[in-house]
Amino acid sequence: MCLLFFQGFSLRWDIVSGARASFINKGLVRNWDCLHNIMLNIPTQSFPSSSSQQRVSSSAQSGRNKVALKPGHSLMDWIRFAKSAKDLTGLRGRLIEVTQEQLQKHNTREDCWTCIQGLVYNVTPYMDYHPGGEEELMKAAGIDGTELFNQVHRWVNYESMLKECLVGRMATKAAPAVKVATPTPPPTGLAPPAAVAALKNDSQPRYDWFQTDTTVHLIVYAKRKIPSSGCMTVDLQAGVLRVEVLLGKMSYMVHLCLTDEVKETVAVHTASSVGKIQVTMHKQNKEKWKSLGQPLEFHNTFICKKDRALYYRDCTLVSKADVNHNTQLFRLQCPRGTVIHVPVGQHVYLKALIQDTEVVRPYTPVDQTLAAASHQSSQESDLYLMVKVYPDGVFTPYLNNLQIGGHISVSGPEGTFSLRRLRDITNLYLLAAGTGFTPMARLIRLALQEVDTIRQIKLLFFNQRKEDILWHNQLDELATQDKRFQVEYILSELSDSWTGRTGRVNKTMLNELLIRPDEARCYVCVCGPSAFTELTIGLLKQLDFSEDELHTFQG
């Protein structure tokens, strides 16, 4: 292994793994006592495939278009091609510093370089493999494409996907010398300095703590109501406590290297109506703590969720059960010290190393059954994922072959869906195709249990065949138990044994099934394959549903 240095960065060139390069910024970790603990989990940015049915966006931001790839240009084909030892940069294995002028010269279809987060890639070989088509890649040809990348698909694991296309890093201009005041060291106790505290917005969450002889309690005050379905993750590992609370588009974090040793278990209690979260830990020693701990990176910060990197933890597959002939319910157990509460309508990312390439896919958790309460108990942190297995896919065969007791990396919650949109509506319409049903499952139960203003919830469930319908019996039972809930099944394949509706989504069908009573306040959620979602949203707009009345779980 050899090291190349570029202006304060070190470039690791791993010959054994096939010229896998990564830049390591020096000096990012201030608390060296906790360095080992931090290195146990380095967040990696990655993104769902464009064919996923569970990438979330608003209807007004439907994401990139998906194009038909040429035969032999799937993700697995790209992985094989990238591992073929061909020179994909044109530099014969050299890494260079790229000036702005150099980058601008490589701006054509046949010679396309782009910069992402300070790293320059030759994406020319990737053109025909990109699910968004060459048009999307050419938007960043010869320029810094970081902002465009973050807007469209910030979770793409480009470092892994394009590692063989790495040209080098952007050259940085020397900054003019300026006199900088010595920064105030971060506070070691609970309360920030008065000058710092005065600058904080009154609406920013805060935390406090107290202790007994045997326990330590962290209290987070969100200063607003929080979803009963959850909005936070807690990770306690080797003396490092990481708490993230999701509040709409914002993320509040407490990140500390604890003062003393605690047991590897954690309890969480939430008071949703007052926005209070209490995290309880048990001391190893009955000694009094003088402070909760030393601040780590991003401690006590309140920033946009999109600006915070994903954090993965190792979860264990404890069971899997058949839902139908090609879909299974996977139960993943979080490690000791981890509690994950996923808000209704949001998803998590699963990450695995497949043929030396990190592959990431999003999945929306469901409850164990449709009849289960939509919100978990404070300590229940197992994740139930309903996954359709595609034999010719990349990720689902890997997941399906995972043995009980096997491990897989799972992120915290992600997504843009907000339950606040349900507060003032009277009619909730859910249009799902296939496994696009998964975001709807917990949403149905929560709306029935907790939103009294909703008078009707109607699910239009599109499938090819009767045997494809997920939780068919449970949906029928729920419709019998609660008259506010109705379900309509629509099959695309004709069958002599099927007496229900058939066909594909169309304007006449939607006009007949989505009735708008006088003075009704409606909200429509759509989830399915991209073609289904785009067509359905277009039809709904033709029926005078406004942007504010539509939400797509876009794939």
Side-chain angles (χ1 to χ4, degrees), residues 149-215:
F149 179 88
N150 288 340
Q151 288 176 354
V152 181
H153 40 26
R154 70 186 183 95
W155 300 119
V156 169
N157 187 359
Y158 61 91
E159 290 179 315
S160 179
M161 192 70 65
L162 299 176
K163 60 187 176 183
E164 305 301 339
C165 300
L166 180 65
V167 172
R169 75 178 295 271
M170 286 297 295
T172 56
K173 296 180 180 179
V178 294
K179 187 176 180 180
V180 180
T182 303
T184 303
T188 57
L190 277 175
V196 177
L199 296 175
K200 292 184 179 295
N201 191 303
D202 288 341
S203 64
Q204 174 168 330
R206 68 177 182 88
Y207 75 96
D208 203 342
W209 73 289
F210 66 93
Q211 62 181 314
T212 69
D213 288 342
T214 59
T215 59

Side-chain angles (χ1 to χ4, degrees), residues 207-445:
Y207 75 96
D208 203 342
W209 73 289
F210 66 93
Q211 62 181 314
T212 69
D213 288 342
T214 59
T215 59
V216 176
H217 305 268
L218 168 73
I219 312 295
V220 175
Y221 300 96
K223 298 187 179 180
R224 68 212 76 194
K225 292 183 179 180
I226 55 180
S228 61
S229 60
C231 64
M232 49 75 66
T233 60
V234 176
D235 291 281
L236 175 60
Q237 184 180 41
V240 172
L241 176 67
R242 183 186 186 277
V243 178
E244 183 178 4
V245 182
L246 303 181
L247 302 169
K249 297 180 180 180
M250 304 296 289
S251 164
Y252 176 70
M253 181 178 291
V254 175
H255 194 196
L256 294 163
C257 186
L258 297 174
T259 293
D260 204 346
E261 295 182 355
V262 293
K263 297 178 180 179
E264 292 185 355
T265 57
V266 62
V268 177
H269 300 279
T270 302
S272 301
S273 60
V274 297
K276 177 182 173 183
I277 299 170
Q278 179 171 315
V279 179
T280 299
M281 298 163 285
H282 295 271
K283 296 178 178 179
Q284 290 279 23
N285 308 306
K286 293 184 178 181
E287 296 181 1
K288 184 177 180 180
W289 290 15
K290 294 182 179 180
S291 70
L292 186 56
Q294 297 295 318
L296 298 177
E297 191 175 19
F298 302 119
H299 171 65
N300 200 25
T301 54
F302 189 47
I303 63 175
C304 287
K305 173 61 182 174
K306 65 181 181 64
D307 294 329
R308 209 184 287 285
L310 282 175
Y311 183 88
Y312 288 91
R313 68 278 299 156
D314 233 15
C315 292
T316 304
L317 177 64
V318 295
S319 69
K320 52 184 176 180
D322 292 336
V323 179
N324 64 12
H325 63 99
N326 61 9
T327 303
Q328 290 192 317
L329 187 67
F330 293 82
R331 182 180 182 180
L332 301 179
Q333 186 178 72
C334 294
R336 294 183 65 186
T338 292
V339 175
I340 300 179
H341 291 169
V342 182
V344 167
Q346 298 197 17
H347 58 273
V348 297
Y349 290 95
L350 269 58
K351 179 176 68 175
L353 191 65
I354 301 176
Q355 295 194 14
D356 296 328
T357 297
E358 280 187 356
V359 181
V360 178
R361 292 292 185 270
Y363 294 99
T364 303
V366 298
D367 291 317
Q368 187 172 10
T369 66
L370 191 62
S374 61
H375 56 275
Q376 299 170 309
S377 70
S378 296
Q379 312 318 316
E380 175 59 51
S381 197
D382 288 358
L383 297 173
Y384 294 88
L385 304 176
M386 190 180 289
V387 180
K388 180 178 180 180
V389 178
Y390 296 89
D392 57 347
V394 175
F395 195 86
T396 57
Y398 174 91
L399 185 60
N400 191 44
N401 291 329
L402 190 66
Q403 299 297 310
I404 302 300
H407 295 266
I408 193 162
S409 296
V410 180
S411 78
E414 287 288 315
T416 62
F417 182 78
S418 174
L419 294 174
R420 289 181 296 179
R421 304 299 297 270
L422 305 183
R423 292 176 183 172
D424 300 321
I425 68 171
T426 59
N427 292 67
L428 177 61
Y429 296 125
L430 309 173
L431 282 65
T435 50
F437 165 71
T438 55
M440 313 302 186
R442 295 174 70 209
L443 180 55
I444 291 169
R445 174 53 64 181

